[in-house]
Amino acid sequence: MLTFILKRLGQAIPVLLAIYTITFFMIRLAPGGPFSDERKVAPHIIERQMEYYGYNEPLPVQFVNTLVQHVKLDLPPLTSHIGLTAADIISESFPVSLELGLWAMFIALMLGIPAGVVAASRQNSWLDYTPMSLAMTGICLPTFVVGPVLALVFGIYLRWTSVAGWAGPIDRMLPSLTLGLYYAAYIARLTRGGMLEILSSDFVRTARAKGASEFRAVVVHALRGGILPVISFLGPALAGLVTGSFVVETIFQVPGLGRHFVLAAVNRDHSLILSTVLFYASLIMLANLAVDVLQVLLNPKLRYK
C-alpha cells in the first residue's frame, strides 16, 4: 500500500506542474491587471508597485520565481490584501469551507443512500419512481437556483433562519442544505444502481433462501457492495463540495475560501488565484487517493496497478 500511495503522489507532481503552467499564463494573458483602477495613479507609484510585486520582470522570470516560491511554500504577498499572503487567507477561510463541505456531505449521504436503497429494494414501484424523480429534479436544478429559493422560503417567509452569515449553528443550515441536496441526488441514483446489481447476485439469493429477512439481506449482505459506486463518487464529491462552493458562499455570505477566490478573480489578484487553484488541485488529488485506498479496503478483489 505504501508503494501504491508513493506512486500516486509521484504522478501528482507533473499534473500540478501542468495546472500551475496553464493557470499562470491564463491569468497573465487576461486583460487588465492587479493595478488597473478607475482612479488615476501617478506612473511612478505604479512602477514601484510593479517592482515590489515582481511584475516588472520578464514573464519567464516571473514564471520561475513564482514556481520556486510555491515549491518552498514561501508564497508572495497579495495585491488585494496588503501585508498578507495566500497562506494567511487559506488558513483562515479554508476551515469554514471544509465545515460547510462536511455538513453538506453528511446531508447528502443521509438522504441519498436511504433513498437509493429503498428505490432498489422496491424496484418499479412508487417507492422507486418517487425518489428517483426527485433525484433527477435535484440534478437538474443548480445551486444558484436552489439557494435563493431556500433563502426566500425559510429565511424571509418563514423566518426560521438567517439568510446570510456564519455566526451560529443555525446559519449552517441553508448553505449546507443547498449543497447537500444537489449531491444527494447523485448519491441516490448511484446507490440504486449499485444495489440493483448486488441484490440480483447469488450470495444475496442464498441468504434469502436460508431464511434471512429482507432487511438483513439488504442492509447486512447487499449494502456493503452496493455502495461501492458511492465510495468512488465520494472523492470527487467531497472535493467538489469543499472547492466548488463559490456560488453558495457568495449567496449566503459565508466567509469561506470560495468567496475569497471569486473576489481574487474580480480584483485580479494573481498570487491568490494561483495559490488557491494549486491548493484546490492538491486537495482533489488527495481526496481521490483516499477514496482509492478505501475502495480496496472494502473490496479485497481489487489490486493495485
Side-chain angles (χ1 to χ4, degrees):
M1 183 176 293
L2 180 60
T3 303
F4 168 73
I5 294 175
L6 292 177
K7 183 179 179 180
R8 290 292 300 272
L9 292 177
Q11 293 172 350
I13 295 177
V15 176
L16 288 175
L17 181 59
I19 293 173
Y20 167 81
T21 303
I22 295 172
T23 306
F24 178 87
F25 286 105
M26 283 184 63
I27 59 179
R28 286 298 195 278
L29 297 177
F35 307 116
S36 300
D37 199 296
E38 296 180 358
R39 297 173 300 176
K40 292 184 177 181
V41 182
H44 70 278
I45 295 179
I46 296 180
E47 291 178 3
R48 293 181 64 179
Q49 289 179 324
M50 297 280 286
E51 181 180 358
Y52 176 76
Y53 290 102
Y55 288 104
N56 60 337
E57 300 285 348
L59 199 59
V61 176
Q62 295 183 40
F63 176 85
V64 175
N65 291 340
T66 307
L67 177 60
V68 172
Q69 288 174 328
H70 282 85
V71 171
K72 294 181 177 179
L73 298 181
D74 182 19
L75 303 183
L78 304 179
T79 57
S80 59
H81 298 78
I82 304 302
L84 298 178
T85 65
D88 300 321
I89 300 297
I90 292 174
S91 61
E92 177 185 354
S93 57
F94 176 69
V96 176
S97 295
L98 179 61
E99 182 184 354
L100 173 59
L102 291 177
W103 278 116
M105 177 58 72
F106 176 78
I107 293 173
L109 292 174
M110 292 299 102
L111 294 178
I113 291 180
V117 170
V118 170
S121 59
R122 296 293 184 269
Q123 188 180 10
N124 297 328
S125 69
W126 70 272
L127 289 175
D128 181 15
Y129 297 141
T130 301
M132 289 303 101
S133 299
L134 293 175
M136 183 58 67
T137 304
I139 292 174
C140 296
L141 289 177
T143 54
F144 63 80
V145 174
V146 176
V149 171
L150 292 179
L152 183 66
V153 174
F154 294 102
I156 297 178
Y157 290 159
L158 299 179
R159 298 185 181 276
W160 288 357
T161 178
S162 61
V163 297
W166 195 255
I170 195 66
D171 296 329
R172 273 76 168 164
M173 186 178 74
L174 290 185
S176 301
L177 195 60
T178 301
L179 279 176
L181 289 176
Y182 180 75
Y183 284 91
Y186 283 100
I187 291 175
R189 295 190 65 85
L190 288 172
T191 303
R192 179 185 182 274
M195 289 295 296
L196 285 177
E197 181 179 354
I198 299 298
L199 287 173
S200 61
S201 59
D202 292 337
F203 74 93
V204 176
R205 285 198 294 265
T206 301
R208 286 169 171 163
K210 288 183 177 181
S213 63
E214 185 66 16
F215 178 83
R216 183 176 180 82
V218 171
V219 176
V220 177
H221 296 281
L223 185 58
R224 180 176 178 179
I227 63 171
L228 284 178
V230 177
I231 299 298
S232 302
F233 178 68
L234 283 183
L238 181 58
L241 284 169
V242 175
T243 63
S245 56
F246 311 138
V247 175
V248 173
E249 291 181 7
T250 303
I251 291 174
F252 296 102
Q253 298 297 299
V254 177
L257 186 56
R259 188 179 174 209
H260 283 289
F261 184 70
V262 173
L263 293 177
V266 173
N267 297 324
R268 299 180 178 87
D269 192 332
H270 296 168
S271 298
L272 185 55
I273 294 173
L274 189 57
S275 299
T276 306
V277 168
L278 290 175
F279 178 77
Y280 280 156
S282 303
L283 188 66
I284 292 173
M285 292 178 186
L286 290 176
N288 289 333
L289 175 60
V291 167
D292 289 341
V293 174
L294 183 60
Q295 272 190 302
V296 174
L297 295 177
L298 291 176
N299 187 2
K301 293 182 180 180
L302 296 177
R303 294 293 181 265
Y304 302 118
K305 297 181 180 180

